Amino acid sequence: NAGVMQNPRHLVRRRGQEARLRCSPMKGHSHVYWYRQLPEEGLKFMVYLQKENIIDESGMPKERFSAEFPKEGPSILRIQQVVRGDSAAYFCASSPLDSFNSPLHFGNGTRLTVT
Amino acid sequence: DAKTTQPPSMDCAEGRAANLPCNHSTISGNEYVYWYRQIHSQGPQYIIHGLKNNETNEMASLIITEDRKSSTLILPHATLRDTAVYYCIVRVNTNAGKSTFGDGTTLTVKP
């Protein structure tokens, strides 16, 4: 039973380019969460999605960032016109339910480096 | 969600029990206590969670005080691979992912 899969593991982009991060949740999980972790800092919530719907994007910057979770395929976190401050580890988590009795399962992240 | 307080760091000898405390004095009656850990460069790993009863699984035990204002995660026989940052969070709301991951406790297991 595969866990949460994120790819690529490492991504290098020049300033101004676009970054696309993909997340395939665990089988049977329809809730996906994205986090950002800056070096030496904790995890910061960005966005929560269910299939085809954004439920809560209160942690995501209003400019340049977008997320989707289509009916078919992985969830995508897109960062347009990247800047050096976007360099971070981006983690995705999934759960089968949105319940306080349902733990999150995390992927191993995508490390974005902006040069 | 209730705020949690954890010591920034702890050491433990290999083979000994590691007891990691967490204060959550503002916890509400329907908030669960969750523990995760993050080993360097990896994604956080779920360990255990509970509401008011003590819980045990293959990884750890969770002891929650009767007033639920604090809890302790116990790793019964710590190994070097248990060196990680341990996060205690409490959760009540929908949007499970919005729970705040604070700074956690950095546990160092020493040979």
Side-chain angles (χ1 to χ4, degrees), chain A residues 35 98-102 111, chain B residues 34 38 41 49 91-92 95 97:
Chain A
Y35 292 81
D98 180 29
S99 158
F100 28 80
N101 194 18
S102 180
R111 276 136 191 94
Chain B
Y34 278 76
Q38 187 173 25
S41 297
H49 74 287
R91 236 178 68 191
V92 63
N95 186 354

Side-chain angles (χ1 to χ4, degrees), chain B residues 28-108:
Chain B
S28 301
N30 55 351
E31 286 187 309
Y32 280 73
V33 179
Y34 278 76
W35 284 84
Y36 294 83
R37 72 180 182 184
Q38 187 173 25
I39 296 169
H40 182 63
S41 297
Q42 297 181 21
Q45 178 188 23
Y46 163 74
I47 302 172
I48 199 167
H49 74 287
L51 182 61
K52 49 183 149 182
N53 298 322
N54 297 337
E55 303 287 344
T56 295
N57 63 20
E58 65 279 2
M59 288 182 69
S61 295
L62 174 61
I63 308 298
I64 303 174
T65 57
E66 194 168 339
D67 63 7
R68 303 206 328 117
K69 293 185 185 300
S70 65
S71 60
T72 301
L73 179 75
I74 301 172
L75 308 178
H77 305 287
T79 71
L80 299 179
R81 287 179 293 180
D82 291 322
T83 293
V85 179
Y86 287 77
Y87 298 99
C88 164
I89 65 173
V90 294
R91 236 178 68 191
V92 63
N93 294 323
T94 53
N95 186 354
K98 204 170 181 180
S99 304
T100 302
F101 284 75
D103 293 332
T105 295
T106 299
L107 174 69
T108 304

Side-chain angles (χ1 to χ4, degrees), chain A residues 6 35 39 97:
Chain A
Q6 290 189 249
Y35 292 81
L97 304 167

Side-chain angles (χ1 to χ4, degrees), chain A residues 80-100:
Chain A
Q80 296 178 303
Q81 299 174 323
V82 296
V83 301
R84 287 221 172 99
D86 296 332
S87 295
Y90 292 82
F91 291 99
C92 165
S94 72
S95 69
L97 304 167
D98 180 29
S99 158
F100 28 80

